[in-house]
Amino acid sequence: MKNYFSSDFKLGILGGGQLGRMLLTETQKFDIYTSILDSNPNAPCAQICNHFEVGDLLDFDAVYNFGKTVDILTIEIENVNIDALDKLQAEGLTIYPKPKDLRIIQSKARQKHFYFDHQIPTAPFSHFAYLEELHHCLENDIINFPFVWKAARFGYDGNGVKIVRNFSDLESLPNVECITEQLIPFKNELAVIVARNADGETKTYPVVEMEFHPEANQVEYVICPARIEESVAKKAQELALKVVNDLDFVGLLAVEMFQTETNDILVNEVAPRPHNSGHYSIEASYTNQFEQHLRSILNLPLGNTDSKVAGIMVNLVGEEGFSGNVIYQNIEEILKIDGVTPHIYGKKETRPFRKMGHVTIVNTDIDKARKIAQQVKETIRVISKNN
């Protein structure tokens, strides 16, 4: 086995945001030298990695030249230049997740076609090169309102997704490649994180339940374990494993799902990296998702994914009406509560609905944890000085 620890080995990460910042906690724990590429010189990782480079993740030369300086390359965001990764891989660089998987996952359209081709249950969909094609299909009754519209590329945190109920809802949409999905009545939005290393060892985290903000379409609460029947949880974990194995994926894959009114499980979409739905694991799990990501890409034995206690994650997002230098108001009040741990992402400026941090609540009683999570949400405010 290669010596990754306290050695001249260099791990490269494309992306220097909050996911990279939390991953650095684990590379520092293992004393793994870590280089990061990000376009923002003030990215959350900039001051705390071993080496930081400024560069555009979608620029071929920036990604290729960075890749030539490291021994293994991974990501904390999937919107990167895949052509550069293909060339690096052809020249012998180890890259996880594999470029072929990132190419599929980068595009919501390719993702949906992959699920369809592999008999992975998902909401019925249509694929359009341009918005005009969608207009044409609606005018000719080929598809019907209502439906979910998604941009094929570059959607995140509620951006690039809209429920369309009539023609006027189409007016604000960009003229880009997109998909439409049938609007599925569902009981719960669930997620399962699966780790897989190059030897094919897999570990599945418990199913989590996600509660969304109605306006921002962002996750407000992640609840672990999900408050669902054991048979439904087992079905969700088995389906997540099928996605990982059908992709022949190496790394950490977050699989977001719907539990329908009839308890069927449908895959919504996946993320090929540590994910918002796994942040609870830092405090609640034997092996948190960031350590597990490292274990999987370095082909180390995977850690125990069981929870020690129930965990709930509350996202800290910028409050509406506030932009500028951030203030975390009432943070002292939530620090008085047992089992509450805030994580601040190192972003100096807030704006409405920007992810600025999260808070984990752990408790032996999931219902009590949920009540404390509500209290936390109602107490802490992410605001700015100049409002």
Side-chain angles (χ1 to χ4, degrees):
M1 183 179 286
K2 186 169 175 61
N3 180 22
Y4 302 115
F5 316 105
S6 301
S7 72
D8 59 1
F9 169 81
K10 292 182 180 176
L11 174 67
I13 302 173
L14 297 177
Q18 65 260 22
L19 298 176
R21 187 183 177 96
M22 288 182 270
L23 190 58
L24 286 174
T25 301
E26 307 307 317
T27 61
Q28 288 164 354
K29 186 168 78 183
F30 288 154
D31 194 26
I32 295 171
Y33 185 101
T34 309
S35 295
I36 287 182
L37 180 72
D38 196 279
S39 60
N40 178 5
N42 299 311
C45 289
Q47 303 304 319
I48 54 175
C49 57
N50 297 99
H51 175 74
F52 185 83
E53 273 186 42
V54 177
D56 184 348
L57 300 178
L58 291 168
D59 179 76
F60 180 95
D61 290 336
V63 171
Y64 176 77
N65 292 330
F66 176 76
K68 297 300 282 183
T69 67
V70 300
D71 298 300
I72 289 181
L73 189 58
T74 190
I75 61 157
E76 66 103 56
I77 184 170
E78 51 270 35
N79 292 325
V80 298
N81 190 297
I82 306 292
D83 292 338
L85 297 187
D86 284 338
K87 186 169 190 217
L88 288 164
Q89 187 179 57
E91 292 174 359
L93 183 65
T94 300
I95 303 171
Y96 294 128
K98 299 170 192 170
K100 73 171 183 65
D101 293 335
L102 292 178
R103 201 178 285 281
I104 293 168
I105 292 166
Q106 265 190 358
S107 163
K108 288 186 168 64
R110 284 198 199 105
Q111 267 194 60
K112 294 291 280 192
H113 286 296
F114 179 87
Y115 304 147
F116 183 80
D117 292 343
H118 288 262
Q119 291 82 51
I120 292 165
T122 190
F125 74 102
S126 299
H127 179 194
F128 303 97
Y130 299 101
L131 198 61
E132 286 98 328
E133 288 186 355
L134 173 53
H135 272 278
H136 175 77
C137 286
L138 285 164
E139 285 158 5
N140 290 277
D141 295 323
I142 298 168
I143 66 169
N144 300 302
F145 297 112
F147 55 81
V148 180
W149 173 91
K150 293 182 180 180
R153 294 284 304 272
F154 305 121
Y156 69 98
D157 290 347
N159 295 295
V161 179
K162 184 170 182 177
I163 295 174
V164 176
R165 301 186 187 280
N166 49 51
F167 278 104
S168 64
D169 285 342
L170 292 171
E171 289 171 10
S172 61
L173 299 181
N175 186 26
V176 295
E177 183 189 5
C178 60
I179 61 169
T180 62
E181 293 179 343
Q182 187 178 317
L183 200 56
I184 301 290
F186 59 86
K187 284 185 196 175
N188 287 304
E189 294 200 50
L190 308 173
V192 177
I193 291 176
V194 185
R196 186 173 183 269
N197 65 20
D199 285 343
E201 182 190 7
T202 56
K203 287 283 179 80
T204 306
Y205 280 83
V207 183
V208 301
E209 177 185 344
M210 299 184 289
E211 294 184 16
F212 280 75
H213 187 285
E215 292 166 47
N217 195 32
Q218 282 181 336
V219 175
E220 268 194 307
Y221 301 99
V222 171
I223 300 166
C224 182
R227 297 163 297 183
I228 56 176
E229 293 174 14
E230 182 58 38
S231 60
V232 175
K234 189 165 183 286
K235 197 187 295 187
Q237 287 179 314
E238 286 171 354
L239 185 55
L241 273 171
K242 176 173 169 56
V243 175
V244 164
N245 289 325
D246 285 2
L247 282 167
D248 190 27
F249 188 86
V250 174
L252 201 74
L253 191 75
V255 185
E256 296 183 47
M257 305 166 168
F258 297 121
Q259 176 191 0
T260 70
E261 300 287 358
T262 55
N263 289 331
D264 291 321
I265 301 292
L266 304 178
V267 173
N268 179 21
E269 55 191 54
V270 300
R273 51 172 169 72
H275 189 252
N276 200 245
S277 64
H279 290 347
Y280 77 91
S281 66
I282 299 172
E283 278 75 37
S285 303
Y286 286 99
T287 308
N288 73 60
Q289 65 164 344
F290 298 96
E291 180 183 328
Q292 197 77 295
H293 178 78
L294 278 183
R295 286 172 176 247
S296 60
I297 63 170
L298 300 178
N299 202 27
L300 297 168
L302 298 181
N304 182 354
T305 53
D306 290 346
S307 295
K308 305 174 207 174
V309 286
I312 295 187
M313 189 277 300
V314 179
N315 270 329
L316 294 182
V317 299
E319 196 167 309
E320 285 185 276
F322 291 89
S323 294
N325 294 334
V326 65
I327 295 173
Y328 295 91
Q329 194 177 72
N330 302 328
I331 195 166
E332 300 89 344
E333 295 306 309
I334 68 165
L335 285 167
K336 293 175 185 173
I337 308 168
D338 285 347
V340 169
T341 305
H343 292 256
I344 306 301
Y345 293 161
K347 300 173 184 178
K348 307 303 182 199
E349 295 198 353
T350 184
R351 57 178 180 265
F353 300 119
R354 187 184 193 195
K355 278 187 187 169
M356 301 297 291
H358 73 264
V359 179
T360 310
I361 297 94
V362 293
N363 200 288
T364 52
D365 182 335
I366 190 75
D367 294 325
K368 190 169 181 187
R370 179 63 182 81
K371 284 176 186 163
I372 295 170
Q374 188 76 37
Q375 183 184 347
V376 166
K377 186 78 180 172
E378 290 168 1
T379 300
I380 193 167
R381 298 178 67 207
V382 183
I383 58 173
S384 60
K385 292 175 183 174
N386 56 349
N387 288 74

